[in-house]
Amino acid sequence: MAAKSDGAAVSVEDDNTPRSLSEPGIPAARLRCSAAGGQPFTLLDCCWVLCALLVFFSDGATDLWLAADYYLRGDYWWFGLTLVFVVVPSAVVQVLSFRWFVYDYSDLSGGDGAASGSGAAAAGAAGAAAAGDALSTKDGEQRGGSAAAGNAANVTPVYTSSGAPVTAGRVGAPQRCCSVCMWVFQTVLHVLQLGQVWRYIHALYLGAQSRWHSNGPRRHFHWQLMFESADITMLRLLEAFLKSAPQLVLQLSIMIHGNTVLPLQGLSASASLVSLAWMIASYQKVLRDSRDDKLPMSYKAVIAQMLWHFFTIGARTVAFALFASVFQLYFGIFIVSHWCVMTFWIIQGETDFCMSKWEEIIYNMVVGIIYIFCWFNVKEGPSRFRMTVYYSVTLAENVALTAAWYTYRGPHTSDSYALVVVCLVACSFALGTFFMLVYYCWLHPDGPVLGSQWGGCVDEGVVGAGGVAGVIDACLTPSQGSQTDMVITSPPRTLPRTKDTGEPVPGDRDRDSCLPVFQVRPSPSSSPALLHRTSSSSRAQEGPVIRIDLPRKRYPAWDAHFIDRRLRKTILLLEATSAVSPRIQYRSSMMGSKEVLEYETTV
């Protein structure tokens, strides 16, 4: 029996052969990350979630307040537009959030008295892994099924923190009552447009539990916290660009068109702008925290990134509002043309975010909407050239839109007022560019943009810590290194890489946008043995392994086990049954065709 994920074969095996921790070939940083159990949930993390809740409420409340004010003033046209940009995006996000809840909770609730197929399969895989058996997904379905069935009788029911025990028997009346109450509660929450609020509160609960519990439960709660954080940031980012961005342009256009600024208009526009900048920075932080091949982003870097997007988006939306106040029809044509060009540019870059081709196209179209307002990295590799091209185009568009408004503005706009507005656009864009440089030159998680990545990559510390394997791991670029080892430890928050002294290495050469001067490649004869020894020794202390028959997605894409909800269930079930944390292992894209065929027929 095997757990599968959208056509990708998944197998679970347990390898607990005792080995010495000092055996050569074990990456020191990876062992340290596994032993540490991830970075704990701190008071600063709690304050960040509470501030995110405050931003969410302030953005929605000010928009509704302003819509009511328009209605009382008799401005029914502005009232209708303001309300539409609040209700429609929120409804779309709530439908998506509730759909995720239905998928996550349906297999765990056991409302009809039995677990569904995927939940039972994952539970059987978890039981077999806990009993020490290896499960196969190809050329071994009967053998794996019999192994799982043989061990299922000796496996205790699997419990998770968010649902009922997965058992084959009948669910009792109290359990069924709790399940019905949860369904009713979530339905009412999403109808009231409060799905994200519940997810934020749930994230606070999971963070507190991960901090207060011992090592085993802490890992389980930390996995749940990372999954919940990923869901929140995806939902809020979508809502920000469907609601906050159009609302910001609308309110600025009304202010410029009427040549007056109401306090509520300024409050609503400010809340929308803060929400946009906040969600972009928060998304990048959670994405980095979810990947073990990237260093986590500090809160100083998050604040710098927020200021960067705050001022660049501010300049962009003011330029939009100025042009739209004079040329309404041409503004619509400009927005559609810009979106088409950016979407084509993104598709041309061949992104790899989703599990299917059509989902990828839809995702690219959504990112094209984001590109109307700000930069958003969607492709692995050096991004300086692409970012330079984007901001050059943005600067030219801002200048053209502002100049067109200045030339054809109405007679009621004085020259002094127009000059102040033009200076505001220019200064805001300049400040945004300044904070962008601050972020990349001083606060980037991988070190300064002109740091030591231009030097050689072999030093005595690396060789001493991991031998030849350490040299290979240090010399490969991050994407290559991750494709070679393909192992993700739990929890997925990265710790700084270490030398043999155990101290963090400052300015680690981990940047996704830099290339090494040279690479040390293993010989074809010794490469499979070396990689097998390294992966086997690193598995020695970490128990069950979830092997996914897919190459790992490269940063800045989410890993498949974050966007595929069936993989999430498998991970959480294994966390509940295994004494040590399970690991996720993706298929290496560096294998040759013969090696890939052998992998698929033996695993």
Side-chain angles (χ1 to χ4, degrees), residues 14 126-133 151 154-155:
D14 191 22
D133 293 309
N151 289 283
N154 300 322
V155 176

Side-chain angles (χ1 to χ4, degrees), residues 231-309:
D231 288 345
I232 294 172
T233 53
M234 291 180 195
L235 291 171
R236 289 285 291 125
L237 186 70
L238 177 63
E239 186 179 30
F241 282 96
L242 290 180
K243 183 182 77 171
S244 301
Q247 194 74 256
L248 178 59
V249 176
L250 173 64
Q251 300 308 324
L252 289 176
S253 301
I254 295 173
M255 287 186 280
I256 295 172
H257 181 76
N259 204 23
T260 57
V261 179
L262 299 175
L264 279 180
Q265 289 175 331
L267 198 60
S268 174
S270 301
S272 298
L273 183 57
V274 171
S275 180
L276 281 168
W278 183 284
M279 285 319 303
I280 295 173
S282 179
Y283 176 88
Q284 295 296 333
K285 175 175 173 54
V286 174
L287 177 58
R288 273 190 163 269
D289 288 346
S290 71
R291 298 189 61 103
D292 68 333
D293 57 344
K294 291 295 174 183
L295 295 174
M297 185 182 297
S298 67
Y299 282 104
K300 291 181 181 179
V302 174
I303 292 174
Q305 196 171 107
M306 282 179 56
L307 294 174
W308 158 23
H309 292 296

